[in-house]
Amino acid sequence: MAKASVNIAAKAREEKGSRANKRLRDAGLVPGVIYGHKEAVVTITLPKKELVGHLEHGVHVFDLATDGKTEKVLVKEVQYDHLGLEVLHVDFARVSLDEKVEITVPLELKGEPAGEKDGGVLQQIISELEVECLVTDIPDLITHNVSEMKLDDVVHIKDLKLPAGVRALQDPEQIVCQVKEVKEEEVAPVAAEGESAEPEIIGKKPEEGEAAEGAAAEEKK
Amino acid sequence: MPMMPKRVKFRKSQRGKMKGNATRGNTVAFGEYGLQTLETSWISARQIEAGRVAASHFLRREGRLFIRIFPHKPVSGKPLETRMGKGKGEPEYWVAIVKPGTVMFEVTGVDEATAKRALARVAHKMPVQTRFVARRHAVA
């Protein structure tokens, strides 16, 4: 189970806009916003080092202290830069401890499937699961043991053992993982030297030679 | 055989500009580990194929490789010793446009060390600087 919540100090943010936010990021801060519970939207800044450390440890719920007022918030969205290295912005939603929330939790498969000895390869289709649970019950990770999976075995969402109080929101018939045999790749025929294969042009009528070939092929059918 | 589209609307295209960073296709989506480009470039269908062969030879039948880019853009060229003019050349090859952040290849079903070595082999075939990335699980 995840830590109940983590304390972090935030400051109200007056300046808005991309340039002001860039200045904040250069100063080692991350812009963010708090909303929800039909209260006012508050723009804030947070210390980047502290925030990133907590996010990397999978913290979902924070106690944000802003100007003498502490609010319990849930991380709603984290925006990263194009390389996925820097945190650009964080969205927080106000929550109370007795509230049910929808959240995405990582899904991990444990063990080596028995079917791998028969030439199968384990394919994980879903690596994150959308669940509904109480704020205090948010799991860090959902694990599933795949060591008994044979060749062509499939695990659906309904087959997962979820912790008490946690309910999956996705289709129960959705495939989580399967053990499938790897087929040899078909080698496509190589075009003859000098003859570069060209794709078909949409909307272009075939030329006379091509039309004749096409008609002959249809006759054969 | 290198990848190319099956059907296209136009045989030839203009070169175009490659500005900015990747705003889509910049996260590991299908596999566990990926190869992300740090530069903007055209990646030819031959280079993609060379990367695929390099990785699949290394992985043999272990794991699974995903190619996240596709060469949609035709590049034309003029024959040798031809005078300038007389119209645009004939399409010669196909390229995929990549911008900083684009995840080009992904690997799953192998441990991190194997994925790193497989994608390092792919990186050698690419005309761009790359970096190895792992899937990041959503917090929200």
Side-chain angles (χ1 to χ4, degrees), chain A residues 140-155:
Chain A
D140 284 335
L141 189 71
I142 292 172
T143 47
H144 183 77
N145 194 349
V146 290
S147 51
E148 284 174 14
M149 282 182 78
K150 291 170 194 156
L151 196 64
D152 294 328
D153 273 4
V154 177
V155 173

Side-chain angles (χ1 to χ4, degrees), chain B:
Chain B
M1 193 173 159
M3 296 191 283
M4 65 187 257
K6 283 199 179 88
R7 299 173 80 219
V8 289
K9 210 161 180 181
F10 303 104
R11 278 182 69 220
K12 300 173 186 178
S13 80
Q14 297 189 338
R15 283 179 190 82
K17 293 273 182 197
M18 295 187 288
K19 293 194 286 185
N21 301 316
T23 54
R24 302 166 67 181
N26 56 3
T27 53
V28 178
F30 298 94
E32 275 299 307
Y33 306 99
L35 189 72
Q36 189 180 48
T37 171
L38 301 174
E39 293 175 61
T40 303
S41 179
W42 283 352
I43 312 281
S44 72
R46 277 184 167 201
Q47 287 163 341
I48 299 171
E49 176 65 11
R52 186 194 66 79
V53 170
S56 53
H57 278 192
F58 180 75
L59 293 170
R60 280 181 230 142
R61 295 179 72 181
E62 245 183 277
R64 195 172 165 199
L65 181 77
F66 298 91
I67 303 173
R68 295 279 309 276
I69 50 174
F70 187 86
H72 288 287
K73 186 181 179 64
V75 177
S76 60
K78 280 181 175 290
L80 291 176
E81 298 181 3
T82 315
R83 287 179 187 274
M84 289 296 108
K86 309 287 178 211
K88 192 172 169 74
E90 287 303 305
E92 279 190 352
Y93 59 99
W94 295 80
V95 295
I97 296 170
V98 295
K99 291 177 177 183
T102 308
V103 175
M104 301 185 290
F105 291 85
E106 286 182 21
V107 175
T108 188
V110 289
D111 60 83
E112 186 173 346
T114 313
K116 218 172 224 176
R117 292 179 67 190
L119 291 175
R121 278 164 167 75
V122 179
H124 277 294
K125 305 290 178 189
M126 295 295 120
V128 284
Q129 284 287 311
T130 57
R131 91 185 177 104
F132 176 81
V133 283
R135 175 189 280 271
R136 184 198 297 113
H137 291 291
V139 181

